[in-house]
Amino acid sequence: MSDDRVLEQLAQVLESRKGADASSSYVASLYAKGLDSILKKVGEEATETVVAAKNGEPDQLVHEMADLWFHSLVLLAHQGLGPQQVLAELERRFGLSGLEEKASRQGRSPGVGDLKG
């Protein structure tokens, strides 16, 4: 699998698990438990990512970040979205200064912003 297609292919797998029996796959069981369970898992993975970074453990940080990305993709799929919408938003922000991007959001939570350097 090429690096540039990993998110797309993973999104397809996650979408296919929506109709699966909850006992047949981990992702199907998350979907069956509903939004609150998915959000809890994203929160847990975010916390574990922060701890790994704080502890200065590069291998553990990569592992936890992969878990966080995975569960974030599950959340997106549950909400009828996918990585393409997130990538499009990042592309939209590319080249904006952080201040310009922040001003364009007017009240939305902080984000990537300054991707031009």
Side-chain angles (χ1 to χ4, degrees):
M1 180 180 326
S2 66
D3 291 345
D4 61 343
R5 293 194 27 93
V6 170
L7 291 177
E8 181 182 325
Q9 290 177 343
L10 182 54
Q12 290 172 358
V13 169
L14 295 176
E15 192 64 32
S16 74
R17 298 292 194 269
K18 283 185 175 179
D21 181 352
S23 65
S24 69
S25 89
Y26 171 70
V27 172
S29 73
L30 282 175
Y31 289 143
K33 292 176 187 172
L35 181 60
D36 287 347
S37 289
I38 295 169
L39 293 172
K40 181 180 176 186
K41 193 63 183 170
V42 170
E44 288 171 6
E45 297 302 342
T47 300
E48 291 170 3
T49 300
V50 169
V51 170
K54 187 74 174 163
N55 289 340
E57 302 171 3
D59 291 341
Q60 191 63 28
L61 175 57
V62 169
H63 176 85
E64 295 301 343
M65 188 65 72
D67 286 348
L68 177 57
W69 285 14
F70 177 84
H71 288 91
S72 295
L73 289 169
V74 171
L75 172 60
L76 286 171
H78 186 269
Q79 298 290 79
L81 300 167
Q84 286 309 107
Q85 286 91 346
V86 176
L87 292 171
E89 176 61 14
L90 289 172
E91 185 175 354
R92 182 192 71 78
R93 295 180 188 189
F94 199 86
L96 293 176
S97 78
L99 295 176
E100 289 170 332
E101 197 282 325
K102 185 175 181 179
S104 75
R105 287 184 276 119
Q106 302 219 349
R108 293 188 345 225
S109 62
V112 173
D114 194 359
L115 292 179
K116 71 177 183 182

